[in-house]
Every structure is written in structure tokens, then in C-alpha cells.
Amino acid sequence: MKKTRSNPPSEPLYRQVSVTLLDQIKSGVRSVGTVLPKEIDLAHELGVSRVTLRQALDILEKGGVVQRVRKVGTKVIAAAMANAYVQQMDGLEHALRLAGQTAMRIHGHATVKGEPDAGLVGVPSSTGYWLAIDGVRHMQGASTPCTWTRVYVDNKYAGITPFLAEEVDGVYTLVEKVYGLAVHGIRHCVSACALNAEAAGALGLPEGAPGLQVQAWLYAPGDVLIEYVRSIHNPALISIELKSHRAPA
């Protein structure tokens, strides 16, 4: 597969703000146990909008650094981001949360024909082509790669290509933004695997080492496929948690 290399990634503003806040917490400017200023005041202090600030705080909250306490505010509870992540599968919101807890560095993309992955067998593309996107995920606030990933979207969504020069939360979020769609449903297939050469090289692990493979199909209303993704996680950094409850008698 011939790939188009992306330009060096540029960090979105809200991630830059999350790094700034994390640096302040690590240095003791905003020490553990303190409550951050009100959103409107903190946003003014940092020179950003409240929307950008909320996105930055969401990253820190998911990383276990801050906690939103009712009638108190946003409290600093740790001086470092969690170095591992447990992906919960008990609802759509939790299933998609990996895209907020980790960031995807785009390595390249290409247009491919037919059924380029076993997960796309029998899945039609309206154009006959797929936009294939390769990348590596890392935990927010850390540089160590945790996940090798390859994403496929119908080539009718090729309008997202200009945004693939950046580091992104997820490819599906670009499709949502550019085409006005929203993820309505998701299907997962989780399995153990041995790292192939490509995934091992991306994750800095030996070829053949154990990995955690997750395939996911993300759908808009009407079962319209937004994205198919095959991810291989370093199991020391990413794990899966499933929850279920018995219905009341």
C-alpha cells in the first residue's frame, strides 16, 4: 500500500492547554489538593475560550489528575497522568472514550480498493475505494506509544484528508465534524494476538510479543458505516473492562 506521508503533527490548542496546566501542577504552582479557579477566570488567565479550557480539563480528568466535585469545583488530585488506561465497554460513551484519553499521531494515509482488511469483507464501499489511515496512539501527557492503529473510512469521506496532518483524537471525530454525522452505534471484536513486524516496530516491542487486538465498526444512524478500525494495544498500557448487570426481576 503506497502511503502519503503526513506533515509533522501540530497539537490542538486544548492539548497545549492541558500540557500547560499539567506542568503547573507538577511544578507546584497548582499543587495537589487545591481547587482550580472558576472556569471563566482560569480561561481568562490562560488566554483561551471556556470551550478550549473544558476540553483541556476533560483530558486531565480522564487521566486522573483532576476531579470535578459538585459545589466545590475542579480539584487537583494527582501530579501526573495515569500511565495505563482501562477502556470500559459498558456503553457508547465509555467505548469511545479511548479517543479522548489517548491521541493519535498520523503516520500516513492512502486510497485502497476492494476489501483491504478481513474486517471489511462483505462491507460495501459506495465508491469502491477506502481511505486507509495509519497511526500510533499515546497516552495524553506521555510520549510512549500504546497502540498501533489502522483506520478505514469510505473514500466518499476523503474531505477529511487536509486534517490528517495533525495529531487527532480520532478519525471518526473528523468525519463527524466535516460531514455532520454522529456515531450512533459501535460493534467490537476483541482478541489476543502476536505482534506483527509493523505493530511491533511502532510500539517498540519485540515481534511476536503478545498484543491485544480490537476491531471496531462505528455506525451513524441507519447503520451507515463511519469508520472501521483495527487497533493493536500494548497490553501493559491498555486493557479492556466489560460490565453487565442482571435485569431486575
Side-chain angles (χ1 to χ4, degrees):
M1 180 171 70
K2 186 178 180 181
K3 297 181 181 179
T4 300
R5 297 296 296 180
S6 299
N7 295 326
S10 58
E11 271 202 318
L13 180 58
Y14 65 91
R15 281 213 198 91
Q16 296 177 37
V17 173
S18 72
V19 171
T20 296
L21 287 170
L22 186 59
D23 287 343
Q24 291 176 350
I25 291 167
K26 287 179 178 178
S27 67
V29 173
R30 306 184 193 275
S31 58
V32 174
T34 60
V35 176
L36 296 179
K38 292 180 179 180
E39 281 188 1
I40 189 169
D41 297 327
L42 186 56
H44 179 73
E45 178 185 335
L46 296 170
V48 298
S49 70
R50 292 179 70 178
V51 171
T52 297
L53 176 62
R54 285 171 185 164
Q55 290 175 305
L57 291 175
D58 190 50
I59 289 174
L60 297 182
E61 183 180 28
K62 291 172 182 175
V65 174
V66 301
Q67 180 181 33
R68 290 182 170 99
V69 181
R70 188 180 178 188
K71 296 184 179 180
V72 174
T74 302
K75 186 176 182 180
V76 179
I77 60 173
M81 299 283 280
N83 57 10
Y85 180 67
V86 178
Q87 184 176 11
Q88 297 177 344
M89 296 290 198
D90 57 346
L92 183 62
E93 182 180 349
H94 282 162
L96 294 173
R97 211 169 193 187
L98 181 70
Q101 179 59 34
T102 65
M104 179 179 175
R105 294 190 183 111
I106 305 296
H107 284 184
H109 55 85
T111 302
V112 294
K113 188 177 182 180
E115 298 175 340
D117 186 283
L120 292 173
V121 173
V123 179
S125 164
S126 64
T127 62
Y129 292 87
W130 299 92
L131 178 61
I133 303 148
D134 283 353
V136 174
R137 288 191 170 278
H138 62 93
M139 301 289 292
Q140 298 284 6
S143 59
T144 302
C146 61
T147 304
W148 171 87
T149 187
R150 177 168 289 158
V151 180
Y152 295 90
V153 298
D154 193 314
N155 204 53
K156 68 182 179 181
Y157 300 131
I160 67 172
T161 302
F163 299 99
L164 297 177
E166 300 180 352
E167 187 172 88
V168 301
D169 284 344
V171 173
Y172 77 88
T173 60
L174 299 178
V175 178
E176 287 182 323
K177 183 185 300 183
V178 174
Y179 292 92
L181 298 175
V183 174
H184 181 75
I186 186 169
R187 177 167 69 95
H188 284 100
C189 179
V190 182
S191 60
C193 69
L195 298 184
N196 58 30
E198 187 172 11
L203 297 176
L205 296 173
E207 185 175 355
L212 179 63
Q213 178 174 258
V214 179
Q215 295 166 269
W217 296 258
L218 281 66
Y219 297 94
D223 290 332
V224 176
L225 184 68
I226 291 180
E227 166 187 299
Y228 163 70
V229 56
R230 181 185 295 274
S231 296
I232 298 180
H233 302 304
N234 178 343
L237 300 177
I238 304 289
S239 59
I240 305 293
E241 181 180 273
L242 302 173
K243 292 182 180 180
S244 59
H245 302 278
R246 187 182 298 276

